[in-house]
Structures are given as structure tokens and as C-alpha cells.
Amino acid sequence: MTDSLSIAKTPEDITRLFVERANVQDIDGLVDLYEEDAVMAFPPGQETKGHAAIRSLFEQMLADSPQFELEPSNPTLYSGDIALTSTPSKDNTGTRVQVVRKGADGGWRRVIDRPEDRGA
């Protein structure tokens, strides 16, 4: 089991922690990677807002025990305690893009998450 209490010390840590936690179905740990009022552009064409909705989405997403692979990140862009991260997908769903913010506890969390962006 993963350590749900470990925080993302860098924006790039979030992706690694997501993969580790998703692969062991650590729903609490996944939700902790998001700010309370975070917004996800998922499922495609929809928005999922806030911890309760994000938790429900992850419960559904992980019901069949999918396995995730770590994907290499593009360079992170910073503006103070806000950063933009992105990862080209290995599954041809486009580029994954997130806005993350550093919290008072020193941990980085997703504020806006677009896990699939196939472009126009």
C-alpha cells in the first residue's frame, strides 16, 4: 500500500503519486492530490468539481482495477506557488495538462486537471 500521507514535494511528484496510488486503488490518496474545490475536465466533455465528485469518479474509474504507467513529463512552468504541468500520453488520448498550487503544508495539489486533451 502507498503512503497516503506523503505529499507531492514538487509539481512533478503528483503524476508519480497518482500512478502509485491508482495502481493500488488508494482512493483517499488520490483525492488528496487535489485541492478541495479542484476541477477536472473528465469524463471527456464534462467537468467534475470538488473532492466528493472526484472521489466518486475515481471509485468508478478504478472499479475494474486498471493499471497506469508513469509517463515522462514536459518541463514545468512556474509562477510563484502556481505551476503548469503536462505529460504527453502513451495511450494516444492527447496531452495531459494540470494547474497545480503549493499549499501551506508545502505540498503541491492539482487545482485544474485535464487528463485528456486530443486537441481540436
Side-chain angles (χ1 to χ4, degrees), residues 38-103:
V39 177
M40 290 180 71
F42 197 83
Q46 299 179 36
E47 289 185 359
T48 301
K49 298 179 183 179
H51 271 185
I54 290 170
R55 174 181 302 282
S56 178
L57 176 68
F58 286 142
E59 288 169 350
Q60 294 170 29
M61 183 187 302
L62 299 178
D64 293 329
S65 302
Q67 290 295 295
F68 294 82
E69 287 185 53
L70 189 60
E71 299 165 324
S73 297
N74 291 321
T76 300
L77 300 173
Y78 290 88
S79 179
D81 288 343
I82 297 174
L84 177 69
T85 64
S86 63
T87 308
S89 71
K90 289 183 178 180
D91 63 4
N92 296 319
T93 56
T95 301
R96 306 179 200 292
V97 180
Q98 302 86 28
V99 175
V100 299
R101 180 173 23 222
K102 189 174 187 179

